[in-house]
Amino acid sequence: MTRMFRLAEVTAANFDAAIELKVHPDQDHLVAPVVKSLAEAYVYPGVAWPRLIFDGDRRDPPQGW
């Protein structure tokens, strides 16, 4: 079975779910927290393009990586 993924803009409706996303603890040192990345995207709107990856038609973003 082929899985279809889609990108969706981070909005007020999915913001809380977005900032709850976490990487595996062993990978914590490799990436910034989502909330920091979203803050940078807000400060640099012409550079950043924050999106969530959704699994198929699911309305909620993944609960982790």
Side-chain angles (χ1 to χ4, degrees), residues 4-64:
M4 299 298 294
F5 296 95
R6 65 183 173 86
L7 295 177
E9 183 176 3
V10 177
T11 65
N14 60 28
F15 175 78
D16 287 332
I19 63 171
E20 290 176 12
L21 291 173
K22 305 281 187 243
V23 296
H24 189 276
D26 292 344
Q27 298 173 330
D28 250 357
H29 68 285
L30 300 173
V31 296
V34 174
V35 71
K36 181 178 188 295
S37 296
L38 289 174
E40 289 174 346
Y42 177 80
V43 173
Y44 302 105
V47 177
W49 193 67
R51 297 292 183 264
L52 291 170
I53 300 173
F54 285 82
D55 184 357
D57 292 331
R58 289 178 52 180
R59 299 237 179 253
D60 55 318
Q63 298 304 308

